[in-house]
Amino acid sequence: MRYRLVIVIASLVSLIAIGCGGGKLQVVNPAPAPITGPFSNASLSGPYAFVFSGTGVSGFFAVAGSFQANGSGNLVSGTMDINNSSGVSTNVPFTGTYSVIPNGQGSATLTSAVQIFNIRFVIISPGRALLTRFDNNSVGRGAIDLQNPSAFSTAGIQAQFSYQLTGIDGGANPLATVGGFTTDGTGAVPAGLHDVSDNGTPIVNQPLTGTYTVSGSANGRGTLALNTSLGTLHFAFYIVAANRLKLVETERTPALAGEALGGFNATTSVAGCGPCVFAWNGFSGATPFAAAGIYFIDDNNGIPAGTADINLGGSVSTSALSGAYSFAPQFRGTASFSSVAGVPATFAVYAISGGGWLTLQIDPGKVVTGLAFTQPLAGSPHLDLSFDGSYGFNFVGATFNTQADEIGQIATHDTNNSGAGAVTGAVDINNAGVPIPGLGVSGSFTMDKTAFGTITMQTSNGVQHFRLHATGGFGPVFFVSADSNMVASGIFEMQGQ
């Protein structure tokens, strides 16, 4: 189980995505499809925080930081923390340039004395963009979010948080953790709980305390020390808002990165999610695993029904879900399913404000993280659950034993409100560290009244098939690959929201 995990900052939090198989994608650089849309350099303007991670020539890396975008193509006042095989570099200043085309796709270069990063991104809104690293011999992805400077103080982040972090342990094996904690506004983390899966060895329901401080009143940078079952872990973080942080660990090992979001003080009668549209991904034993679907919950701690589309090492299947859930008065719960890919599965669950769960499978031999959002329009007319509009996406998958990051923008065309139509767009692919920019996308999609659908995306590199599960309205659409040569799951995010 050598490390092949990459952080996916999808919608709100990180997911894991994996590739499998043997050989490389065909490298072709066709003429891009016609590009239209409302975006320009001015769409990225103000203070932003970011985090991205992935794999380079020497293994895992993670980066978090902040910058000011001036709206005309320059990045100034940048600061970042870098964790890679060469060690940890903290509080590194950088500058940069960026360029945005009308559909929201863009490119940027972050230049520091320590390292230069080339990235591709797609704008979801003026407050958010998804990104992919676009350097030779390195792949990785993450997200960029507009900062609220009013929270740039120790007192400014007095909140309850839920977090999800992924990375590697000291042996470069996959490690993932979820948890919850409170900050008191004075620099203390007085209480919390967390769960860990270290290369498939679960460590469950452990206490957590710590300290934090915010020293970057101009850029929102702070430091956090968490006393955990893995020892005291030290992080640099960058504030997005009073209840949202982007984190990178400042020890070389274990090395972790991800996000902390506003938590939810759940009880057994307030589950914080339901119906829950979800994506899971990671490893089942040594086999790459990804899934997306929906499960329903009731007020009696039951999960009476659900459906999961599963890709286990390239074997694609659909299975029914049922089980039970429970929550303690604070932070943590569990969700247990009678069968996932033929075996029982139990997840540690941490609720997030706004309706959702961060999850980690706590069965031996599994390193599977997940994300679930409430589907508020369940049972509503099809039009409310459609997949019609412009979407940005990034995901990590692979064919033929290589890892391929993809970032792009698509437009779906349901002209007759029939739940089906054409797909057009453009995508940038980093195929095993070989950047391939400007590929045109064509294809088709379906979406039924249960918010289940399919999408086919054709480029000159081949055809990709995904199964879709919509949260409804303007919410994200979860997907899982339905091809035998790719294992990945993630989210399409609607532009303009």
Side-chain angles (χ1 to χ4, degrees):
M1 286 176 67
R2 289 288 296 175
Y3 177 76
R4 288 190 295 162
L5 301 177
V6 177
I7 298 214
V8 179
I9 308 298
S11 193
L12 291 178
V13 296
S14 56
L15 298 170
I16 299 173
I18 312 96
C20 65
K24 281 193 175 183
L25 286 168
Q26 178 188 5
V27 178
V28 180
N29 191 8
I35 298 297
T36 60
F39 299 100
S40 68
N41 285 355
S43 302
L44 200 68
S45 180
Y48 291 84
F50 63 89
V51 63
F52 63 97
S53 67
T55 54
V57 175
S58 301
F60 176 79
F61 73 87
V63 183
S66 67
F67 58 76
Q68 290 273 346
N70 71 353
S72 59
N74 291 307
L75 306 178
V76 299
S77 302
T79 304
M80 61 182 167
D81 292 77
I82 304 167
N83 187 330
N84 60 27
S85 58
S86 300
V88 178
S89 301
T90 61
N91 220 0
V92 177
F94 73 90
T95 59
T97 58
Y98 70 96
S99 178
V100 178
I101 60 177
N103 72 341
Q105 288 181 284
S107 61
T109 300
L110 314 182
T111 302
S112 76
V114 174
Q115 193 167 356
I116 296 173
F117 295 99
N118 294 295
I119 64 173
R120 291 293 172 111
F121 59 88
V122 59
I123 294 174
I124 303 302
S125 72
R128 179 167 175 78
L130 307 177
L131 74 85
T132 288
R133 188 173 178 185
F134 219 62
D135 287 310
N136 291 324
N137 302 314
S138 297
V139 293
R141 64 172 163 175
I144 305 167
D145 288 286
L146 187 67
Q147 295 177 291
N148 180 356
S150 68
F152 288 2
S153 67
T154 300
I157 53 171
Q158 183 175 354
Q160 179 169 322
F161 290 92
S162 294
Y163 69 84
Q164 186 178 77
L165 306 170
T166 55
I168 57 172
D169 64 14
N173 298 303
L175 189 152
T177 178
V178 296
F181 61 84
T182 55
T183 55
D184 69 356
T186 70
V189 178
L193 293 169
H194 72 287
D195 293 76
V196 176
S197 180
D198 182 358
N199 197 28
T201 299
I203 308 169
V204 303
N205 200 17
Q206 297 296 302
L208 179 155
T209 60
T211 58
Y212 73 99
T213 186
V214 178
S215 56
S217 59
N219 59 13
R221 183 182 185 274
T223 57
L224 171 69
L226 295 180
N227 303 312
T228 76
S229 59
L230 299 173
T232 301
L233 307 180
H234 298 87
F235 299 89
F237 66 81
Y238 290 83
I239 297 169
V240 175
N243 62 351
R244 188 169 182 185
L245 312 173
K246 295 183 182 290
L247 302 101
V248 59
E249 191 169 0
T250 53
E251 285 100 7
R252 177 60 194 125
T253 58
L256 298 166
E259 293 203 35
L261 310 171
F264 184 73
N265 198 358
T267 68
T268 54
S269 61
V270 184
C273 182
C276 304
V277 183
F278 70 89
W280 298 329
N281 35 37
F283 282 104
S284 177
T287 304
F289 169 88
I294 186 171
Y295 48 83
F296 298 85
I297 65 172
D298 60 31
D299 291 333
N300 298 311
N301 300 107
I303 301 174
T307 300
D309 288 304
I310 296 167
N311 189 322
L312 179 61
S315 176
V316 179
S317 63
T318 300
S319 66
L321 296 178
S322 63
Y325 73 94
S326 65
F327 271 96
Q330 272 194 317
F331 303 122
R332 184 183 187 272
T334 59
S336 298
F337 300 91
S338 58
S339 178
V340 174
V343 296
T346 299
F347 292 80
V349 172
Y350 291 81
I352 55 177
S353 59
W357 291 354
L358 308 182
T359 62
L360 173 70
Q361 191 168 0
I362 53 175
D363 300 301
K366 315 290 185 179
V367 185
V368 175
T369 62
L371 164 69
F373 288 154
T374 293
Q375 187 189 73
L377 298 175
S380 298
H382 163 75
L383 186 61
D384 292 331
L385 293 171
S386 66
F387 184 50
D388 187 27
S390 299
Y391 293 83
F393 67 93
N394 67 346
F395 66 88
V396 176
T399 60
F400 311 118
N401 204 32
T402 65
Q403 183 169 288
D405 289 8
E406 299 188 19
I407 188 161
Q409 185 264 358
I410 61 168
T412 56
H413 309 278
D414 189 359
T415 55
N416 299 317
N417 293 328
S418 62
V423 174
T424 58
V427 63
D428 299 313
I429 298 176
N430 188 341
N431 177 33
V434 179
I436 312 168
L439 302 184
V441 173
S442 62
S444 60
F445 80 96
T446 64
M447 181 66 70
D448 67 21
K449 292 184 180 181
T450 68
F452 166 78
T454 61
I455 186 170
T456 299
M457 298 198 301
Q458 169 81 56
T459 73
S460 57
N461 274 19
V463 183
Q464 295 174 331
H465 304 87
F466 301 97
R467 297 180 182 179
L468 306 173
H469 293 267
T471 56
F474 299 112
V477 177
F478 289 69
F479 65 81
V480 62
S481 57
D483 294 311
S484 63
N485 62 353
M486 176 183 289
V487 181
S489 65
I491 302 178
F492 289 99
E493 297 190 34
M494 194 170 193
Q495 291 180 304
Q497 305 306 313

